[in-house]
Amino acid sequence: MKSIVLGQDKFEFIGGTTTLLVDLSVSLVKQGYKVYYWSTDFGKHSITEEWFQSHNVEMYLNQPVDLAITCQQTATMFFLNKCKVLQLLNSKFTSLEYPVPGALHISVSHEIGDFVKQKFGEETSVILNGIDLDRYKPTGELNAVPRVFSICQGDDSLLKQACIELGYEFNSVPKDVGNRIWNVEDYIKDSDIVVGIGRSAMVGMACGKCVISWDNRGLNPYTGCGYIKPENFYEYAYTNLTGRGYPPIDTVDKLKNELLKYDTNDGKILRQIAEVRLNADTNATIYINKLNNK
């Protein structure tokens, strides 16, 4: 049995890279690998670590490993002289996410791939985020009058007001990073439209919901692609469904316009796209093959 370690700088907060590695670990365990996890903050996020350990993923304590898949430079450099390393490139906004020489690199979007080529002169493969499609899956038919669930990390008060004016039910995840919910799929199942950017939007797709790419946070104020029609997915995937570079959706009326595009048929088709392009099982196989051929 081959062994593999999944590493990133911190698991303290539930975010995109954490859930990417969590879903990847599920696929690797299913494929028969012995899987470990590593970070600089062992013990500081009991929810993530408890989940790993309850799903046959052990803490890395200098056990010999064959392969490593990492996010961020800290983990990449830690394992670079121990085994073959694949670094998943997730962001262009922090040097912690920049590629480390000597590792194999894969970008999670063409936007990142183009950035890496321009800044570092390196061509990278592009493989979209992988989602655990057994965990995030459809649980019923969508309603004619949509219930809206926001996974936005930023201020979603404009979205809430838009829902109030349209008479749509609105719910949202906690905004405090220390109180983010782990079992988000239990909340998504009682909704029809999921709102968020990046991996949050992709999870909504996997659950067979209609999706609006939108958030209002930090580096990305009022950012999003808007309502995702299936035929627009590949265009929007260029920015990892974040909508960077698109006109800002910064008023209640603009959000109402996106909400009114709701079509129950879109949820089924978005799930089908997720099965083909956002499948963590498929990604795991590709990652391992690339590492073995490195």
Side-chain angles (χ1 to χ4, degrees), residues 93-112:
F93 294 109
T94 169
S95 59
L96 186 65
E97 302 276 358
Y98 288 175
V100 174
L104 177 66
H105 301 120
I106 289 179
S107 300
V108 302
S109 71
H110 287 281
E111 178 189 37
I112 301 300

Side-chain angles (χ1 to χ4, degrees), residues 12 21 39 76 93 95 140 169 218 245:
E12 186 174 359
L21 293 179
S39 77
T76 307
F93 294 109
S95 59
E169 179 183 320

Side-chain angles (χ1 to χ4, degrees), residues 114-130:
D114 289 347
F115 167 77
V116 171
K117 181 179 179 180
Q118 180 180 26
K119 186 172 181 66
F120 301 100
E122 180 184 351
E123 293 274 3
T124 59
S125 300
V126 174
I127 301 175
L128 302 181
N129 270 268

Side-chain angles (χ1 to χ4, degrees), residues 64-119:
V65 291
D66 301 300
L67 308 169
I69 298 177
T70 64
C71 297
Q72 300 145 355
Q73 291 191 340
T74 319
T76 307
M77 289 187 289
F78 183 85
F79 286 103
L80 202 54
N81 294 321
K82 300 178 186 294
C83 60
K84 293 181 178 180
V85 180
L86 166 61
Q87 182 185 3
L88 302 177
L89 306 177
N90 291 271
S91 173
K92 64 179 185 178
F93 294 109
T94 169
S95 59
L96 186 65
E97 302 276 358
Y98 288 175
V100 174
L104 177 66
H105 301 120
I106 289 179
S107 300
V108 302
S109 71
H110 287 281
E111 178 189 37
I112 301 300
D114 289 347
F115 167 77
V116 171
K117 181 179 179 180
Q118 180 180 26
K119 186 172 181 66

Side-chain angles (χ1 to χ4, degrees), residues 13-31:
F13 303 118
I14 302 171
T17 56
T18 295
T19 52
L20 185 157
L21 293 179
V22 164
D23 284 8
L24 179 59
S25 74
V26 174
S27 297
L28 292 169
V29 169
K30 283 194 295 186
Q31 293 182 23

